[in-house]
């Protein structure tokens, strides 16, 4: 896509998608305005125009990645950690692994940066809240610690799928996690 092919109103999202891909492929150290603009097919002045700073760009990309993951998987509507949930989750991870890889980079980098720590904390709070809602719909009482524990298991399984495990292995593990939770 060339700069002239980008329609008005698509520059911001094109930049966010490009940030996710560049970070997923090259890490945060590989992130530059030039690479993002080139990947997005836009002029690099749009980055400053839309975001003002690298931190604001990363925050917008993190929010977008979480929303995109939730939108694609529609996990907010799940009522059980069952085969359908596992199928949807592993499909989304398989189709767009860069969404997850980007988020892992942000989380790991947050150890060194107070600003990134706030962003990563918001990322986790969003997912933990979503899992708590699923557990409540699943018949459990609201319990933030339980939601964090279940999310940690799911997060680890997603990490395995984007790195060392096959989709079917992760799918089976998510289904098994749901069975364990159902044994209340």
């Amino acid at each position: 896509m060339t700069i002239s092919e980008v329609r008005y109103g698509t520059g911001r999202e094109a930049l966010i998608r490009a940030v996710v891909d560049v970070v997923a492929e090259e890490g945060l150290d590989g992130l530059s305005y030039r690479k993002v603009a080139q990947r997005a097919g836009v002029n690099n002045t749009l980055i400053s125009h839309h975001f003002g700073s690298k931190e604001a760009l990363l925050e917008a990309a993190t929010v977008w990645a979480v929303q995109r993951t939730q939108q694609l998987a529609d996990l907010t509507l799940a009522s059980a950690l069952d085969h359908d949930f596992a199928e949807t989750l592993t499909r989304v991870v398989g189709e767009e692994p860069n969404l997850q890889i980007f988020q892992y980079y942000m989380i790991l980098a947050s150890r060194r940066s107070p600003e990134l720590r706030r962003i990563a904390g918001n990322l986790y709070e969003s997912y933990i809240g979503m899992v708590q809602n699923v557990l409540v719909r699943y018949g459990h009482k609201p319990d933030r610690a339980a939601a964090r524990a279940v999310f940690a298991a799911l997060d680890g399984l997603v990490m395995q799928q984007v790195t060392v495990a096959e989709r079917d292995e992760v799918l089976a593990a998510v289904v098994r996690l749901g069975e364990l939770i159902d044994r209340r």
Side-chain angles (χ1 to χ4, degrees):
M1 178 181 301
T2 66
I3 293 171
S4 62
E5 291 173 317
V6 176
R7 293 184 328 272
Y8 179 78
T10 61
R12 186 176 196 284
E13 184 164 348
L15 288 167
I16 289 173
R17 285 177 178 269
V19 168
V20 168
D21 288 340
V22 169
V23 170
E25 294 167 11
E26 300 185 34
L28 283 168
D29 292 337
L31 182 66
S32 71
Y33 283 1
R34 182 187 54 76
K35 287 179 186 175
V36 170
Q38 183 177 16
R39 175 71 64 98
V42 299
N43 188 305
N44 66 4
T45 61
L46 279 180
I47 296 170
S48 294
H49 171 74
H50 285 295
F51 303 102
S53 70
K54 194 173 189 178
E55 290 76 23
L57 177 64
L58 287 169
E59 183 167 8
T62 302
V63 168
W64 181 86
V66 170
Q67 290 172 342
R68 176 85 174 141
T69 299
Q70 291 177 348
Q71 174 190 26
L72 288 172
D74 211 6
L75 300 178
T76 57
L77 299 177
S79 60
L81 287 133
D82 57 10
H83 188 272
D84 290 340
F85 176 92
E87 180 69 35
T88 300
L89 178 65
T90 57
R91 176 187 48 77
V92 167
V93 171
E95 289 174 357
E96 294 199 39
N98 282 359
L99 287 172
Q100 310 318 313
I101 295 166
F102 167 79
Q103 291 173 70
Y104 289 128
Y105 269 112
M106 294 300 293
I107 292 161
L108 290 171
S110 75
R111 287 190 46 83
R112 295 185 309 269
S113 165
E115 180 59 25
L116 291 181
R117 181 167 288 144
R118 181 186 62 73
I119 295 167
N122 290 341
L123 180 151
Y124 269 112
E125 287 305 312
S126 174
Y127 282 123
I128 291 166
M130 181 196 68
V131 169
Q132 181 167 296
N133 291 338
V134 170
L135 292 174
V136 167
R137 284 194 302 272
Y138 202 48
H140 293 271
K141 293 179 182 168
D143 182 342
R144 199 74 171 162
R148 182 177 293 278
V150 171
F151 172 71
L154 293 170
D155 194 32
L157 290 168
V158 167
M159 169 75 89
Q160 289 179 35
Q161 185 177 341
V162 298
T163 56
V164 299
E166 296 297 320
R167 178 180 180 214
D168 290 342
E169 295 173 296
V170 173
L171 191 148
V174 172
V175 169
R176 184 69 178 117
L177 177 63
E179 292 167 355
L180 292 170
I181 292 168
D182 197 33
R183 291 187 177 167
R184 29 188 169 128

